[in-house]
Amino acid sequence: MVTARRVAEILEGYEDIVIATACSHSSLQIFHGAKAEGFKTLGIAIGERPRVYDAFPAARPDSFLVVDSYQDLARNASELTEVNAVTIPHGSFVEYMGADAFLDLEVPTFGNRRVIEWEADREKQRTWLAAAGVEMPAKIERPEDIDRPVFVKYHGAKGGRGSFIAKNYDEFLEHVDKGQPYAIQEYVIGTRYYIHYFYSPIGEEGYNLSKGTLELLGFDRRDESNIDEMYKLGAQESLKRLGIYPTFIVTGNVPTVLRESLLPTTLQMGEKVVEKSLELFGGMIGPFCLETIVTDQLRFKVFEVSSRIVAGTNLYISGSPYSDLLEPGMSTGRRIAREIRDARKVGRLLDVLT
Ligand code: AMP
């Protein structure tokens, strides 16, 4: 992994920082927010300059770096440092580059790269969340012990691909691909909320943690194909007889707000996960998301943490009902740029970049 000393050396040569990210996922919001905070922007594209930004001029990056592949980008980090780039990781950026190449990319990057080690491995993620004291769906160690409906996920599966529901051991055997490592969780029945937080290690006033401040910027819910709409065709059980099975592929996001009495718990959960991250690996810096299901007992079960900007924040480019109470018009993308700007002003860039 790139060392803090190397990042400091690179930053010494920087004048005006340019905010760079891969042209996908939440890039419109990241570029739009960076511009609003007075930064120049650079889009990293594969193969050719994407046309999509022509349709959205307020989010069009000032320049592009077009490379043949993400692997090519790892080899040519100097093209980014020459223009004083700071990269903003998002789910697709890290996924396409590969975690190892991303860890070694010799370009200052927003957030703590060490979080990847704790996030990518479902077992380590569970250790972190459990140690933080947030409730998670129960884990079923052995398939033979399945005694209730379960949700089966393959390691590293993104966007719900490959996951399936089994109501008993026989159904598990029917669907499982034993060639891939998998995890079995109890199937939690409730309503899903994806919580968008921002942790600032340099924040001083607000919802204070042992170090820095925590912000709650919004909530979304995901549209998942085909599970969301399959009921129109009939009950899942009868559809199975036709060879039609539910899938959980994320296709979009919908805005939502949370019952207000649940907000204190929401903040406490974010706080606990950040505090534990400070202890385990020096902190999860910037935006993160807890993916939760709220039961009819009003208990949150956290089934995943995403330790960077999530695409659900794209709903709130001009602010959310919550971020508006911090500062009107504050998107998560803009909040990232603001953090870099503030850290530079007080000489603490190394507290937010790695
Ligand atoms: P994931 O692969 O963890 O991102 O999960 C994909 C989708 O599966 C989520 O958005 C939920 O709809 C659903 N899901 C994941 N874990 C559970 C669970 N333990 N119980 C019920 N639904 C779940």
Side-chain angles (χ1 to χ4, degrees):
M1 196 175 99
V2 189
T3 62
R5 183 186 298 171
R6 180 73 191 116
V7 175
E9 263 169 33
I10 297 170
L11 285 172
E12 261 168 40
Y14 274 21
E15 285 171 19
D16 287 337
I17 287 174
V18 170
I19 299 284
T21 199
C23 293
S24 179
H25 191 269
S26 44
S27 69
L28 291 171
Q29 186 196 159
I30 292 170
F31 294 137
H32 176 261
K35 284 164 181 272
E37 292 297 309
F39 288 100
K40 287 273 186 246
T41 48
L42 179 145
I44 300 165
I46 304 300
E48 58 183 354
R49 184 186 168 287
R51 284 184 63 208
V52 66
Y53 301 97
D54 296 340
F56 306 109
R60 186 194 294 137
D62 298 297
S63 60
F64 287 94
L65 172 65
V66 179
V67 288
D68 289 338
S69 66
Y70 280 100
Q71 287 63 39
D72 214 30
L73 179 67
R75 285 191 291 271
N76 296 297
S78 59
E79 293 195 41
L80 287 169
T81 50
E82 269 160 23
V83 296
N84 301 341
V86 163
T87 52
I88 312 298
H90 52 58
S92 305
F93 195 165
V94 177
E95 171 85 359
Y96 297 157
M97 259 198 102
D100 290 339
F102 175 73
L103 288 174
D104 289 337
L105 184 68
E106 287 212 354
V107 180
T109 289
F110 184 71
N112 183 355
R113 294 189 218 207
R114 285 192 60 202
V115 71
I116 291 200
E117 176 196 339
W118 286 86
E119 186 195 14
D121 177 328
R122 285 202 193 267
E123 285 309 312
K124 282 195 101 160
Q125 193 179 118
R126 182 169 271 273
T127 305
W128 166 20
L129 293 176
V134 295
E135 240 184 287
M136 299 179 72
K139 184 182 169 193
I140 288 149
E141 296 291 347
R142 299 176 337 131
E144 298 79 3
D145 297 338
I146 293 174
D147 57 356
R148 61 193 114 166
V150 294
F151 197 80
V152 184
K153 311 174 184 199
Y154 294 103
H155 285 212
K158 285 283 168 325
R161 202 166 285 278
S163 303
F164 65 92
I165 298 170
K167 288 192 292 310
N168 49 47
Y169 182 47
D170 286 345
E171 283 190 12
F172 169 84
L173 290 177
E174 203 180 309
H175 296 293
V176 73
D177 169 5
K178 286 194 170 162
Q180 296 186 58
Y182 55 79
I184 309 173
Q185 294 182 347
E186 77 175 302
Y187 187 89
V188 180
I189 304 173
T191 41
R192 287 172 297 129
Y193 294 92
Y194 297 76
I195 312 171
H196 315 152
Y197 300 92
F198 190 96
Y199 168 60
S200 166
I202 61 168
E204 283 174 1
E205 256 175 65
Y207 192 88
N208 288 94
L209 305 193
S210 64
K211 171 186 160 195
T213 51
L214 180 70
E215 293 163 20
L216 178 57
L217 298 183
F219 299 88
D220 77 289
R221 183 168 303 168
R222 292 181 184 164
D223 276 336
E224 294 173 344
S225 178
N226 58 23
I227 182 86
D228 288 350
E229 306 283 341
M230 73 184 306
Y231 70 91
K232 289 180 182 165
L233 210 53
Q236 274 184 36
E237 285 313 305
S238 53
L239 293 176
K240 274 187 191 169
R241 289 196 283 279
L242 301 172
I244 301 170
Y245 296 93
T247 53
F248 303 84
I249 310 301
V250 179
T251 54
N253 305 80
V254 282
T256 183
V257 292
L258 196 71
R259 191 176 157 140
E260 195 164 305
S261 60
L262 291 173
L263 290 179
T265 313
T266 305
L267 285 159
Q268 284 156 18
M269 286 194 306
E271 173 170 9
K272 290 196 251 185
V273 175
V274 171
E275 292 291 2
K276 191 46 76 179
S277 77
L278 285 164
E279 217 178 291
L280 291 174
F281 53 85
M284 170 174 55
I285 300 160
F288 69 98
C289 173
L290 292 183
E291 308 185 0
T292 70
I293 300 170
V294 180
T295 67
D296 56 5
Q297 300 302 306
L298 298 179
R299 295 182 81 90
F300 284 89
K301 303 266 183 157
V302 179
F303 61 89
E304 197 147 331
V305 53
S306 291
S307 57
R308 59 193 65 75
I309 184 168
V310 288
T313 62
N314 290 340
L315 289 161
Y316 306 120
I317 285 193
S318 51
S320 82
Y322 302 93
S323 70
D324 278 351
L325 307 179
L326 287 155
E327 180 177 326
M330 184 58 74
S331 68
T332 297
R334 184 169 182 179
R335 184 65 190 83
I336 294 170
R338 173 71 60 84
E339 187 78 351
I340 295 173
R341 204 184 77 179
D342 288 348
R344 186 176 50 178
K345 206 158 46 186
V346 295
R348 292 183 63 184
L349 269 181
L350 287 173
D351 284 357
V352 300
L353 305 181
T354 57

